Amino acid sequence: MDSALSSSRAATGSARDRIYLRNPDQQLVKVIVSGPFGVGKTTIVRSLSEIPPLKTEEVMTATGAVVDHLHGVRDKTTTTVGLDYGRVSLADDLALCLFGTPGQQRFHALWKDLTHGALGALILADTRRIADSYEVMGLIEEQGLPYAVALNHFPDSPAYPDAELRKALDLAPDTPLITCDARDRGTSLRALLALAEHLQKLPALEHP
């Protein structure tokens, strides 16, 4: 990673606390991080980002809990109401700009703007509620974006054979399916790299 650190903070603090200045020669590639409500999108952007991530989280209210069904995510106390943004360098000359989408249906009007210019999407899914991913996958496919699916592992996540999961998600044979823990940068980065490798194998995409 060919990023410059601000001299005032380079000597102290963790890498995540330091201020990164982008290499002006880096190519920036827009990638969408999506998935249903409560699947871990904000968490994975925070885990991956080499800069302080932009978050638009708000505390959930009793009214919001009526609209946003909390089945399977009872411990969730905040929700994204706009977008999450982070950046991660994959090479000296390449950085991925991560745009996390809100998962609730009422925010889908934002999707066309958020996905414009993106080369692909990392879709998070939860094996405890696979069906919740169908609508999001449909929206990504409507935008013509290639994607990879990352199964975010929770303590009570049931395990299924890949063949069954692929069938349940109706995945194309070449669509990557990988398991990660959104809190862990290592497994999250492997999921992102699986998407990047998938995109490299595809013909150049034309965006409107």
Side-chain angles (χ1 to χ4, degrees), residues 43-44 47-48 152 180-190:
T43 301
I44 200 170
S47 296
L48 287 167
N152 189 16
C180 73
D181 181 338
R183 302 165 300 177
D184 175 65
R185 192 172 196 275
T187 59
S188 298
L189 188 57
R190 283 199 292 272

Side-chain angles (χ1 to χ4, degrees), residues 92-104:
D92 289 346
D93 59 351
L94 176 64
L96 301 186
C97 298
L98 309 177
F99 286 78
T101 66
Q104 300 95 312

Side-chain angles (χ1 to χ4, degrees), residues 131-202:
D132 289 0
S133 302
Y134 297 161
E135 184 176 17
V136 171
M137 293 174 67
L139 288 167
I140 291 294
E141 290 173 353
E142 285 176 12
Q143 299 303 315
L145 292 179
Y147 58 87
V149 176
L151 302 169
N152 189 16
H153 181 76
F154 294 87
D156 57 343
S157 295
Y160 300 103
D162 279 4
E164 291 185 15
L165 289 167
R166 284 187 167 277
K167 183 176 180 180
L169 292 166
D170 194 24
L171 296 183
D174 61 340
T175 299
L177 177 65
I178 190 168
T179 298
C180 73
D181 181 338
R183 302 165 300 177
D184 175 65
R185 192 172 196 275
T187 59
S188 298
L189 188 57
R190 283 199 292 272
L192 192 61
L193 288 173
L195 171 63
E197 292 170 0
H198 178 54
L199 296 178
Q200 286 181 333
K201 296 176 184 177
L202 300 176

Side-chain angles (χ1 to χ4, degrees), residues 2-21:
D2 190 17
S3 299
L5 291 174
S6 67
S7 58
S8 62
R9 298 180 66 184
T12 61
S14 67
R16 190 57 56 86
D17 293 332
R18 300 172 187 173
I19 298 175
Y20 285 83
L21 302 179

Side-chain angles (χ1 to χ4, degrees), residues 12 57 64 69 71 73 75 79 90 96 108 154 160 187 190:
T12 61
E57 284 188 308
H69 300 293
H71 176 69
V73 288
D75 295 333
T79 185
L90 294 187
L96 301 186
H108 286 175
F154 294 87
Y160 300 103
T187 59
R190 283 199 292 272

